[in-house]
Amino acid sequence: MPNSPTPSAKGKRPIRVLMAKPGLDGHDRGAKVVARALRDAGMEVIYAGLRQTPEDIVEAAVEEDVDLIGLSILSGAHMVLFPRVLQLLKTRKASEIKVFAGGIIPDEDARKLKQMGIRAIFGPGTSLQTIVDTARQLAGKRAS
Amino acid sequence: MKKGVRGARRQARPVPRASSPLSPVARRIVSGDRRALGRLISDVESGRPEARDVLKELHPRTGRSLVVGLSGPLGVGKSSLVNRLLQHLKGLGKRVGVIAVDPSSPFSGGAVLGDRVRIDRDPSDPSVFFRSMASRGHPGGLSQSTREVIRLLEAFGMDTILVETVGSGQVDVEIHSIASTRIVVLVPHLGDEVQTLKAGLFEIADVFVVNKCDLPGADRAARDLSELAQLSTPVDGWRPRVVQTSTLLPSGIPELWAAVEEHEQALRSGTQLRARLTERADQELRSLLLARVQGSLDQALRPTPAWGSLVSEVVDRTLDPYTASEKAYRRLIQCL
Ligand code: B12
Ligand SMILES: Nc1nc2c(ncn2[C@@H]2O[C@H](COP(=O)(O)OP(=O)(O)OP(=O)(O)O)[C@@H](O)[C@H]2O)c(=O)[nH]1
Ligand SMILES: [Mg+2]
């Protein structure tokens, strides 16, 4: 039987997520796998693709009015790119949009990034169910 | 002079002022607040009543833009064409809204909306607004609220709106009710697709694009289409144009846009425009009314004790289903 779409806190619309790969990193498997998992959980995932600048990402998030931004990065440039995304969200008065991330991010960096405001960070081998549950939680709605 | 009637109206007629001042949300939209537009589109999509009020307020500011539909089979290059058209239109000083519709999964209700991947633009450029929409179960490939979102983009100040949908015959018919020029995108060696479309092929498009003309077979495909187009009955003197494009090279983009503008010109100077607008308004009113009635019906048909006893009577065979349904109908009419 088909599941009903996962509604977000905003009303009866499905949770919307922007999935983006910031910087020059070409590893896109993780981003695609996570995008599909979120879709299968009833979410609308806008896939922005590779080589996105923080400016591209924040503008897309504003136009698409997403609940969440998912950043996938395996290149090591997260300490530069993630804080910039957070800062731009603030200047666009869009800080209600929450950011979570995954890829190759050392624990030490992950701790710092979470302090700055990245809501959750997942490394290789994380189960897709954990990621789906976290997305639902962040978007402010329990799974039904 | 007939020529340019609609164009003149577009430029010369001032935006009608509503008698009362705009609500804060409406004001943010007309003043170019992108965050406010993004959010209002969501509210319209989820059918929030407050959004309906804003649509009423903004309606006088709509109806003047050029709405172009791009449809066609999966992967023929619709989004890549949108990307190239955005670059071309920027050169012409246009302000462009894009709506890209992808189907929702019938299983999960979710969707991966991937059209944005092909768009390469300056994120600080205020003359473009791109929105991806999932069809959310609406049959045919457009989404329920595409028409409303077009209006919001117009009120926001966009003079050109591009609507991308994955095409089957059904969508192309529907796009007729929202776009003034319909582009159907095909590629070389799409023999079977064309065969299945052929029956109504020339009623569903004003301009045909043979994209990927950097690949072999494009000339042949374009020639076949042109020959068929010559056999179609012209509407207001217009027979579908066939344009070859490549988004890789790129080539054919200015020619494509010229064909769109020529078609708009033919529409404006022709006799069919009023009829087309009338048909659209008729359809929209009908569907709004139907949605309203459907809502009341759902409400009125909720199971009640009276309904339950009627069903029992039919089970016990103390009443036949025909009489029972007539009774129920009389009650229903009173509720509506
Ligand atoms: C496959 C692979 C490649 C493929 C990529 C194919 C592709 N299209 O993706 C190829 C061969 C092209 C490649 C190239 C390179 N690679 Co490589 N590659 C890998 C490898 C082996 C696996 C990555 C992968 O696909 N995993 C499978 C996916 C599903 O897992 P994942 O991405 O980690 O995603 C999971 C989580 O991280 C999380 N997640 C990921 N994104 C997101 C996003 C959100 C929002 C959330 C919530 C969760 C989440 O959820 C997923 C599911 O659990 C890794 C090593 C490793 N074990 O990770 C190296 C690795 C990433 N590559 C590395 C390097 C250095 C490179 C190269 C620069 C050079 C090289 N040595 O070959 C090039 C650069 C390519 C480029 N243009 O950027 C390094 C990176 C080092 C670093 N960051 O410090 C790694 C770590 C190998 C290593 N140990 O040195 N690579
Ligand atoms: N050779 C060639 N490939 C092209 C051309 N235009 C697009 N493509 C490729 O065709 C593929 C699909 O392009 P898109 O623009 O995403 O096509 P689409 O019709 O929007 O796809 P959907 O939205 O998924 O139906 C991509 O790999 C493009 O690079 C072209 O002119 N020539
Ligand atoms: Mg597309």
Side-chain angles (χ1 to χ4, degrees), chain B residues 181-184 205-209 238 240-241 243 256 259-260 263:
Chain B
T181 296
R182 300 156 300 162
I183 301 174
V184 165
D206 305 303
V207 178
F208 285 98
V209 169
W238 182 264
R241 293 293 146 84
V243 183
L256 170 57
V260 169
H263 176 254

Side-chain angles (χ1 to χ4, degrees), chain A residues 2-3 10 12-14 16 39-40 42-47 55-56 59-60 62-65 93-94 96, chain B residues 34-35 38-39 42 46 48 106-108 110-114 116-117 121 123 128-132 134 136:
Chain A
N3 304 323
K10 277 186 133 184
K12 50 182 185 157
R13 74 165 190 161
R16 279 169 76 90
R39 175 199 62 192
D40 293 342
M43 301 179 204
E44 289 179 1
V45 183
I46 295 99
Y47 186 72
E55 286 78 5
D56 292 331
E59 181 54 36
V62 164
E63 290 179 6
E64 301 288 357
D65 188 34
K93 296 194 174 59
E96 318 85 283
Chain B
R34 304 173 76 83
R35 178 87 173 120
R39 306 194 109 178
S42 301
S46 13
R48 296 179 68 133
F107 301 107
S108 70
V112 173
L113 309 171
R116 251 197 130 90
V117 169
R121 61 177 246 247
V128 174
F129 194 100
F130 188 107
R131 178 73 172 222
S132 314
R136 298 199 183 165

